[in-house]
């Protein structure tokens, strides 16, 4: 029986019951775009005459990509169209006796587009008189006659007096012209308050990179186990990306970082399609350079890489299945990348990354109702020297851990760094129903089901049936207990795979409904919003040390695999302090110690989240006052139904906006919010079981004995059952305990103040300045209490608990200037001054002890300081310019980025953690400056077809900044780069060829 079957009640029965309840609520309660993130926008307007008096009874018709709606202005001349998909719309106004005139407007994610329609005069010629018709012309016939018509004026809503959050939206027209990475998270990297994120997981406004929220068409695709992004999405299928960096509304929960909200394209009545081919080649790029001896082999391997082209193919197709009624949109992308991550042997692994993704969306218009069905799938394969969810460059342990640390680290994936192969795939299926009632009511209901699988395998399969080999890379002879010399390994690396192999599954079911009601009461406009969000996530893991399964002959216990420790005592190895006997090509090695690991049990956990929220935005005169409250309940249990975490949290949010001029173009705002962070399911995985470690039997190679050397020379050391592997010690982890679940654990929360100023400078240019002040409360950690004096051996008790001593805060000034949808050029420029300070900067931190006396007296003062991801000053400029030619368009794209260097400190590894020899963040790497450019040519053909070609150059100035550093004083390499990942990448190029219609 699988672990999922052991849960009670059955997950799908629970989902059906919850979905039925939510759909019933949806039928009774009108709602807006979505509950799990806003995916639509609103269009409002007012019709007035030349004297600026309202015109009631004007018929307004709206026509968009999939939408046709109509309404009539009220007594104040106002109209409102909620729940509109993102895109451009044609607005038509009709009034008896007036000439109808059309105008354009655009709707954005979560924004309110305001348009103004004013009665004007147009000179219209009178009918000409025919002298032969026998009728005398009336006075004035044949002369120009004044008639009235409607004129539509619209502004792109770069500032929105109804919006209280901090962030920005970027459309695909702008993104396609910029030299940026081709994933939707690139939009977040454009904005102020965002640091790092080149791997798609940024730190935003001081938050951890594991606390972002990733939404795709209303579906939460955040990886529930790691908190990182969980879906690869075809880049050419993106329509619009909206990013919230601070002051999120009550619609959003489970985040303190960025809310990255993606809307993909939809079909229209005209068939559209595209095909693109991207090419990169390491041989086109400049060489790496470094004077650090530790990088010599890696630099040589990277600079001598083969002249191979990495290809990415992408295609989209959309159109009507039934015009004006049913549309489809499909996209597919397949790409590969050769990562510059050589092994310690200098071998470069080509085609180390392959990602493919596909999506199909169907939209059905049934008058006031809209039905949408969508399926997304992606598949990724990695072969790399950097372990999943670890910082790049940590592929070499700085020093050989002592026995206690070794016993703690070896059974955990990612704590020993090694070559590995991962295959990750997943999908989600979504069904959505939305409807509008009149001009003031709308609602949406959605259900979604996601599957995510992660398989981990060794990249090299040599020696010991894929068992990993821990190999000393330098060592020395030290006096032993009896005075005789004893070998001590100083550095080591792990070859032939990782310590944990197997599979994980992360399945999530989601149901959302939400409501919106626009009304007028007591002389004020009210927009009342409410919603219900439900999620249920199952995590199922079976990970074991790789190698040869069997039965341990010393204990009779089932064996999953082995770790071989290779050692070479020959004088040249000891004298040169650089000897790696394991050969990754042949599997030959110098046997020393074998650890025979026992089978671990399969473990499974479930986490459910139920959220309820409501808010009221009240607009009166020049003021907007918004108040909302969100309640989130999180429960976690293991496969036996034992509770692991229980938390219910309230998140109040209050915002005030004021228009001092009265024209809606200058806004002052103040927002106070409290919101809780997500709870990573990996914590439930680690603590949702009675036994955290598997234990092992230690064997030594009999060939170390001179009398047996000749006999053992003929034996196969790869066979763990061979006669020369002699049992030495049984290491069982019974003394290591997991404390009972802490049901009083409170999720970390953020208390935030935002003071803002916004100004619309021109029709398509605006400025926003915000002061953001954040403080974290209820920070918690995976805390280990250690008893080294226990007679039975070291005893550890692991517990999750809130740490009153732990601190984290953020203060920042965020400036954004945005110019978009202009005739020739667009701009997004950002500047950030910020400080992120504290002493706890990991979501799970066994080595991140805060200053509590009962664990350790290390770092009593030095632990408090700048975060490792802090960038005090950041400046970014992204712009494009389009130059029409007689036979096409030429576009120039620019990306300019400057940021202060990474803060770091001198450290010393100790038994109970890391000792900070200097205060946290007291040292700083050099500043980083990078200029990227693109040149694109679009040539129209016939019938709307178009060819395109694009050249992109990254790091045009060929900057050579060091972006990472060795911080451990004990390695002898303090202040030096550890791997190529610690160097700014040299100048690189990318080509794109495309066709679209």
């Amino acid at each position: 029986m699988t672990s999922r079957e052991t849960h009670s009640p059955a997950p799908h029965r629970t989902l059906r019951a919850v979905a039925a309840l939510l759909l019933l609520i949806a039928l009774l309660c009108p709602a807006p775009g979505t509950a799990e993130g806003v995916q639509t926008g609103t269009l409002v307007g007012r019709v007035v005459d030349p004297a600026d008096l309202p015109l009631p009874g004007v018929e307004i018709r709206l026509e968009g990509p999939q939408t046709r709606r109509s309404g009539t202005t009220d007594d104040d001349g106002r109209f409102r169209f909620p729940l509109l998909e993102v895109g451009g719309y044609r607005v038509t106004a009709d009034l008896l006796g007036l000439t109808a005139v059309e105008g354009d407007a655009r709707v954005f994610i979560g924004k309110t587009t305001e348009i103004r329609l004013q009665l004007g005069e147009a000179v219209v010629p009178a009918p000409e008189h025919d002298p032969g018709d026998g009728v005398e012309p009336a006075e004035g016939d044949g002369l120009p006659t004044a008639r009235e018509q409607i004129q539509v004026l619209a502004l792109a809503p770069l500032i929105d007096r109804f919006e209280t959050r901090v962030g920005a939206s970027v459309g695909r027209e702008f993104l396609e012209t910029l030299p940026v990475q081709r994933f939707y998270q690139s939009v977040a990297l454009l904005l102020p308050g965002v640091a790092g994120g080149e791997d798609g997981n940024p730190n935003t406004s001081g938050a951890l990179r594991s606390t972002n929220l990733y939404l795709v068409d209303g579906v939460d695709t955040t990886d529930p186990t790691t908190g990182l992004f969980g879906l690869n999405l075809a880049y050419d299928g993106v329509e619009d990306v909206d990013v919230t960096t601070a002051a999120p509304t009550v619609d959003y929960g489970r985040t303190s970082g960025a809310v990255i909200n993606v809307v993909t394209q939809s079909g229209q009545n005209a068939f559209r399609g595209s095909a693109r081919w991207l090419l990169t080649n390491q041989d086109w790029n400049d060489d790496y350079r470094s004077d650090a001896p530790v990088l010599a082999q890696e630099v040589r391997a990277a600079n001598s890489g083969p002249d191979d082209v990495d290809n990415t193919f992408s295609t989209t197709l959309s159109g009507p299945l039934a015009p004006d009624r049913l549309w489809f949109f499909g996209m597919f992308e397949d790409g590969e990348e050769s990562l510059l991550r050589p092994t310690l042997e200098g071998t470069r692994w080509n085609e180390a990354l392959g990602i493919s993704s596909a999506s199909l969306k169907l939209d059905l218009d049934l008058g006031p109702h809209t039905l949408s069905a969508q399926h997304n799938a992606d598949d990724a394969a990695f072969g790399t020297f950097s372990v999943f969810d670890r910082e790049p460059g940590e592929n070499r342990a700085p020093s050989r851990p002592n026995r206690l640390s070794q016993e703690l680290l070896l059974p955990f994936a990612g704590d020993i760094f090694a070559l590995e192969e991962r295959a990750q795939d997943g999908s989600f299926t979504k069904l959505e129903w939305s409807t509008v009632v009149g001009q003031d009511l709308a609602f949406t209901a959605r259900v979604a089901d996601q599957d995510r699988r992660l398989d981990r395998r060794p990249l090299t399969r040599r020696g010991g049936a894929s068992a990993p080999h821990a190999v000393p890379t330098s060592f020395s002879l030290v006096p032993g207990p009896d005075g005789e010399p004893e070998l001590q390994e100083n550095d080591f690396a792990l070859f032939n795979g990782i310590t944990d192999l197997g599979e994980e599954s992360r399945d999530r079911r989601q149901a959302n409904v939400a409501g919106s009601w626009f009304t007028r009461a007591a002389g004020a406009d009210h927009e009342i919003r409410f919603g219900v969000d439900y999620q249920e996530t199952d995590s199922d893991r079976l990970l074991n040390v790789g190698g040869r399964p069997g039965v341990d002959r010393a204990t009779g216990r089932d064996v999953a695999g082995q770790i071989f420790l290779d050692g070479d005592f020959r004088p040249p190895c000891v004298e040169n302090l650089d000897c790696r006997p394991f050969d990754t090509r042949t599997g030959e090695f110098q046997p020393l110690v074998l650890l025979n690991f026992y089978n671990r049990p399969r473990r499974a956990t479930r986490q459910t989240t139920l959220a309820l929220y409501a808010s009221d935005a009240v607009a009166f005169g020049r003021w907007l006052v918004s108040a909302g409250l969100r309640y989130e309940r999180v429960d976690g249990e293991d496969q036996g139904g034992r509770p692991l975490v229980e938390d219910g949290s309230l998140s109040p949010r209050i915002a005030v906006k004021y228009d001092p001029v009265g024209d809606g173009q200058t806004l002052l705002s103040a927002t106070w919010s409290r919101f809780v962070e997500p709870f990573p399911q990996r914590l439930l995985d680690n603590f949702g079981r009675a036994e955290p470690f598997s234990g092992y039997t230690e064997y030594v190679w009999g060939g170390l004995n001179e009398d047996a050397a000749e006999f053992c020379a003929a034996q196969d050391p790869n066979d763990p059952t061979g006669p020369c592997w002699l049992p030495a010690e049984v290491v069982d982890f019974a003394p290591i305990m997991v404390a009972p679940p802490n049901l009083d654990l409170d999720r970390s929360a953020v208390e935030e103040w935002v003071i803002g100023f916004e100004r619309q400078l021109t029709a398509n240019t605006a400025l926003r300045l915000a002061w953001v002040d954040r403080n974290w409360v209820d920070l918690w950690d995976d805390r280990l209490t250690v008893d080294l004096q226990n007679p039975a051996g070291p005893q550890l008790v692991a517990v999750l608990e809130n740490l009153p001593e732990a601190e984290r805060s953020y203060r920042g000034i965020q400036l954004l200037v945005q110019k978009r949808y202009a005739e020739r050029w667009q701009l997004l420029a950002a500047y950030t001054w910020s400080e992120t300070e504290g002493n706890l900067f990991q979501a799970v931190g066994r080595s991140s002890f805060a200053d509590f006396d009962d664990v350790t007296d290390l770092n009593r003062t030095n632990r408090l300081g700048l975060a490792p991801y802090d960038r005090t000053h950041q400046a970014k400029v992204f712009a494009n310019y389009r130059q029409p030619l007689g036979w096409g368009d030429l576009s120039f794209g620019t990306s300019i980025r400057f940021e202060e260097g990474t803060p770091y400190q001198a450290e010393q590894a100790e038994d109970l953690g890391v000792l900070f020899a200097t205060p946290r963040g007291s040292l700083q790497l050099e500043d980083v400056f990078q200029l990227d450019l693109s040149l694109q040519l679009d040539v129209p053909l016939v019938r709307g077809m178009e060819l395109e070609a694009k050249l992109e150059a990254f790091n045009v100035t060929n900057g050579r900044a060091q972006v990472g550093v060795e911080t451990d004083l004990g390695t002898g390499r303090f202040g030096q780069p550890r791997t190529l990942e610690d160097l700014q990448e040299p100048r690189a190029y990318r080509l794109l060829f495309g066709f679209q219609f």
Side-chain angles (χ1 to χ4, degrees):
M1 179 178 292
T2 65
S3 58
R4 187 175 302 170
E5 293 171 325
T6 63
H7 280 288
S8 179
H12 297 294
R13 189 186 314 152
T14 302
L15 177 63
R16 287 195 295 268
V18 173
L21 174 62
L22 297 183
L23 288 173
L24 177 61
I25 296 174
L27 292 173
L28 298 177
C29 305
T34 68
E36 187 54 55
V38 177
Q39 301 294 313
T40 58
T42 301
L43 180 69
V44 301
R46 195 163 187 250
V47 182
V48 297
D49 64 13
D52 207 32
L53 297 176
L55 281 175
V58 177
E59 183 183 2
I60 308 297
R61 296 194 303 275
L62 193 68
E63 183 175 348
Q66 297 180 356
T67 301
R68 286 162 179 77
R69 296 192 200 169
S70 62
T72 304
T73 58
D74 61 13
D75 292 341
D76 292 326
R78 300 197 293 185
F79 61 90
R80 178 183 177 86
F81 294 103
L83 204 65
L84 297 176
E85 66 265 22
V86 173
Y89 288 83
R90 175 70 65 178
V91 183
T92 304
D94 280 318
L95 186 62
L96 184 64
L98 301 179
T99 303
V101 172
E102 297 180 338
D104 293 324
R106 186 174 179 86
V107 171
F108 301 88
I109 300 176
K111 290 185 177 292
T112 299
T113 300
E114 293 188 77
I115 63 175
R116 177 182 174 86
L117 297 86
Q118 186 172 25
L119 181 68
E121 292 186 353
V123 177
V124 181
E128 292 189 4
H129 172 62
D130 183 358
D133 61 7
V135 180
E136 292 295 324
E139 185 177 357
D141 280 359
L143 300 176
T145 301
R147 291 189 178 180
E148 296 176 320
Q149 66 180 20
I150 298 293
Q151 293 180 341
V152 180
L153 307 175
L155 295 178
L158 290 170
I159 68 170
D160 183 353
R161 65 190 182 97
F162 299 102
E163 185 180 59
T164 58
R165 62 193 178 90
V166 177
S169 298
V170 177
R172 62 183 172 90
E173 295 92 343
F174 187 33
L175 281 177
E176 287 179 348
T177 63
L178 297 179
V180 296
Q181 299 185 65
R182 285 177 57 87
F183 52 70
Y184 62 86
Q185 303 96 310
S186 293
V187 174
L189 311 187
L190 275 58
L191 301 184
V194 178
E198 289 77 10
D199 64 348
N201 301 288
N203 295 101
T204 305
S205 296
L208 302 180
R209 69 192 195 119
S210 59
T211 59
N212 299 315
L213 182 63
Y214 302 91
L215 302 169
V216 175
D217 289 326
V219 178
D220 182 358
T221 62
T222 313
D223 189 311
T225 300
T226 65
L228 308 179
F229 81 90
L231 175 73
N232 295 292
L233 187 68
Y235 187 74
D236 288 336
V238 172
E239 175 66 29
D240 212 309
V241 182
D242 182 81
V243 180
T244 300
T245 57
T249 62
V250 294
D251 303 69
Y252 303 103
R254 306 182 307 280
T255 177
S256 64
V259 179
I260 303 178
N261 197 1
V262 183
V263 172
T264 60
Q265 298 181 47
S266 297
Q268 302 180 12
N269 278 333
F271 284 98
R272 297 183 305 164
S274 67
R276 289 188 170 95
W277 178 33
L278 287 93
L279 305 91
T280 59
N281 189 332
Q282 181 195 347
D283 197 56
W284 301 342
N285 305 337
D286 278 73
D287 288 343
Y288 277 91
R289 299 174 194 165
S290 175
D291 296 329
V294 70
L295 297 187
Q297 289 179 321
E298 296 188 58
V299 168
R300 283 196 299 269
N303 293 339
S304 61
D307 183 8
D308 291 337
V309 173
D310 288 341
N311 298 278
T312 297
F313 298 94
S314 178
T315 182
T316 65
L317 181 64
S318 65
L321 295 175
D324 298 329
R325 183 66 64 184
L326 179 62
W327 306 269
F328 76 93
F329 176 81
M331 56 184 175
F332 174 77
E333 183 171 288
D334 183 71
E336 61 185 26
E337 181 180 354
S338 299
L339 300 181
L340 302 178
R341 291 175 181 170
T343 71
L344 294 178
E345 297 291 346
T347 304
R348 180 179 183 275
W349 295 95
N350 293 312
E351 299 182 5
L353 173 62
I355 297 177
S356 62
S357 60
S359 178
L360 177 63
K361 181 194 290 188
L362 298 175
D363 296 296
L364 176 64
D365 185 9
L366 297 174
H369 308 291
T370 300
L371 297 177
S372 179
Q374 184 174 352
H375 182 76
N376 276 68
D378 73 317
D379 186 6
F382 303 78
T384 174
F385 203 72
S386 180
V387 174
F388 184 67
D389 194 27
R390 286 289 176 171
E391 294 296 327
E394 294 185 53
N395 57 352
R396 170 181 278 184
S399 60
R400 182 176 187 267
N402 59 32
R403 180 58 179 272
L404 173 63
S405 299
Q406 185 177 359
E407 291 175 358
L408 290 177
L409 294 178
L410 284 179
F412 280 93
D415 287 312
I416 300 295
F417 304 94
L419 289 168
E420 65 167 316
E421 179 182 45
R422 299 190 309 275
Q424 178 175 302
D425 62 84
S427 65
F428 77 75
T429 302
K430 181 194 79 170
L431 297 175
E432 183 174 296
W433 175 38
S434 60
T435 190
V436 293
V437 182
Q439 298 185 49
D440 298 329
L441 302 177
F443 67 84
T444 292
R446 176 192 305 112
V447 292
D449 185 89
Q450 295 186 66
D451 296 313
R452 180 67 49 185
R453 298 288 184 273
L454 176 64
D455 293 321
R456 309 173 64 143
R457 296 288 179 262
L459 183 59
T460 54
R461 295 174 174 85
R462 300 284 187 177
S466 302
H469 288 251
V471 180
T473 58
S474 68
F475 45 82
S476 58
L477 294 174
V478 298
D482 55 359
E484 294 297 323
E486 184 177 272
L487 183 70
Q488 173 179 292
E489 297 88 355
N490 300 322
D491 286 356
F492 71 96
L494 199 71
F495 293 94
N496 206 48
I498 54 177
T499 58
D500 272 350
L501 304 177
E503 62 181 9
E504 300 181 59
S505 66
R506 306 159 186 172
D507 298 338
R508 174 191 290 150
R509 292 158 293 279
Q510 170 184 337
N512 317 111
V513 294
S516 169
W517 178 34
F518 182 82
T519 186
R520 296 188 181 90
D525 294 338
H526 295 258
E527 185 176 29
I528 301 171
R529 302 172 65 89
F530 48 90
V532 181
D533 299 335
Y534 177 81
Q535 286 194 11
E536 182 179 86
T537 304
D538 285 335
S539 175
D540 192 303
R541 305 176 67 188
L542 181 58
L543 300 175
N544 271 300
V545 174
R548 294 186 181 182
V551 177
D552 182 63
R553 68 174 186 266
T555 63
R557 299 178 64 174
D558 290 336
V559 170
Q562 299 79 31
I563 292 180
F564 291 92
L565 177 62
D566 305 348
D568 198 330
F569 297 109
R570 292 173 297 180
C573 294
V574 177
E575 293 171 359
N576 297 332
L577 300 180
D578 186 16
C579 198
R580 292 185 290 276
F582 180 70
D583 191 325
T584 59
R585 296 167 297 176
T586 66
E588 296 180 359
F589 66 102
Q590 179 70 33
L592 179 63
V593 172
L594 163 67
L595 306 180
N596 220 17
F597 279 87
Y598 314 139
N599 273 324
R600 298 179 204 163
R602 179 183 293 274
R603 56 190 184 272
T605 60
R606 172 175 297 161
Q607 184 176 167
T608 60
T609 301
L610 176 65
L612 310 172
Y613 68 85
S615 66
D616 186 10
V618 184
F620 55 96
R622 300 184 181 184
W623 292 89
L624 175 74
V625 179
S626 177
L629 183 66
R630 183 182 181 95
Y631 172 76
E632 283 188 3
R633 173 73 186 184
V634 175
D635 292 277
E637 63 181 34
D638 63 14
Q639 61 198 52
R642 181 182 62 146
L644 299 176
V645 62
E646 296 176 350
D647 179 68
S649 301
L650 289 173
S651 299
R653 306 178 194 185
I654 302 173
V656 177
K657 267 196 169 183
Y658 178 63
D659 181 0
V661 179
D663 60 357
Q665 306 300 299
T666 303
L667 300 175
L668 304 175
S669 62
T671 302
W672 179 83
S673 307
R674 186 185 189 277
F675 39 92
V676 292
E677 295 188 322
F679 189 84
Q681 192 137 351
R682 60 183 168 186
L683 269 301
L684 301 185
D685 293 337
N686 287 340
F687 285 82
R689 52 194 172 128
E691 183 179 312
F693 303 106
S694 64
Y696 58 84
T697 300
E698 179 181 302
Y699 293 80
V700 298
W701 183 249
L704 298 180
N705 186 320
E706 293 184 4
D707 295 336
E710 183 176 352
F711 169 77
C712 289
Q715 301 298 316
D716 180 10
N718 289 302
D719 181 6
T721 65
C724 282
W725 284 118
L726 306 178
E729 183 181 4
V730 175
V731 179
D732 207 324
F733 291 100
I736 302 175
M737 302 171 59
V738 176
N742 180 9
L743 299 183
D744 294 326
L745 179 73
D746 294 320
R747 284 187 294 160
S748 300
V750 179
E751 296 177 351
E752 175 190 82
W753 278 98
V754 178
I755 308 297
F757 168 78
E758 298 172 83
R759 173 63 186 173
Q760 186 95 22
L761 302 176
T762 68
N764 46 40
T765 308
L767 174 149
R768 190 201 70 223
L769 182 67
W771 164 261
V772 180
D773 189 291
R774 289 179 151 195
N775 286 281
W776 275 257
V777 297
D778 294 329
L779 287 174
W780 52 266
D781 198 6
D782 173 5
R783 174 176 168 182
L784 296 179
T785 301
V786 186
D787 181 8
L788 298 177
Q789 307 303 321
N790 191 288
Q795 188 173 55
L796 288 83
V797 178
V799 63
L800 296 178
E801 63 182 22
N802 296 111
L803 307 176
E805 303 88 345
E807 302 179 31
R808 192 185 309 146
S809 65
Y810 172 86
R811 295 173 299 278
I813 297 174
Q814 301 179 6
L815 172 65
L816 176 68
V817 178
Q818 194 172 9
K819 178 185 178 70
R820 65 180 177 189
Y821 298 104
E823 179 65 24
R824 291 287 184 88
W825 67 283
Q826 300 183 70
L827 168 74
L828 192 153
Y831 168 76
T832 306
W833 173 90
S834 65
E835 285 185 347
T836 305
E837 297 181 297
N839 59 1
L840 192 59
F841 297 103
Q842 296 182 13
V844 183
R846 287 189 176 85
S847 63
S848 296
F849 294 118
D851 298 327
F852 30 86
D853 299 336
D854 57 339
V855 175
T856 177
D857 59 358
L858 300 179
N859 310 326
R860 199 175 293 276
T861 58
N862 285 356
R863 201 70 186 190
L864 189 67
L866 292 175
Y869 50 81
D870 181 76
R871 303 290 186 274
T872 304
H873 296 280
Q874 274 189 314
K876 311 171 186 176
V877 178
F878 301 88
N880 76 308
Y881 176 78
R882 182 179 62 86
Q883 176 61 53
L885 305 173
W887 41 270
D889 288 343
L890 193 62
S891 299
F892 303 88
T894 304
S895 168
I896 303 174
R897 179 172 60 92
F898 166 82
E899 62 181 26
E900 275 198 324
T902 304
Y904 70 102
Q905 59 284 325
E907 303 173 354
Q908 183 72 52
E910 299 288 343
D911 286 348
L912 298 181
V914 177
L915 171 64
F916 282 34
T918 62
R920 178 188 283 279
S922 57
L923 305 173
Q924 189 177 39
L925 293 176
E926 55 189 312
D927 299 338
V928 176
F929 174 81
Q930 183 156 330
L931 170 65
D932 305 328
L933 298 175
S934 67
L935 180 64
Q936 180 171 329
L937 180 64
D938 298 292
V939 180
L941 302 176
V942 296
R943 298 175 182 252
M945 298 181 182
E946 187 174 82
L947 292 177
E948 60 179 329
K950 184 179 181 181
L951 170 64
E952 296 169 284
F954 302 94
N955 193 7
V956 174
T957 61
N958 214 15
R960 302 286 181 169
Q962 186 172 323
V963 297
V965 68
E966 174 62 69
T967 60
D968 195 330
L969 294 170
T971 63
R973 298 186 297 273
F974 176 78
Q976 298 182 29
R978 298 162 297 182
T979 71
L980 287 180
E981 302 284 350
D982 288 341
L983 304 178
Q984 185 178 3
E985 293 186 2
R987 185 187 297 116
Y989 300 91
R990 183 169 67 191
L991 288 174
L992 180 149
F993 300 99
F995 166 82
Q996 57 183 322
F997 62 91

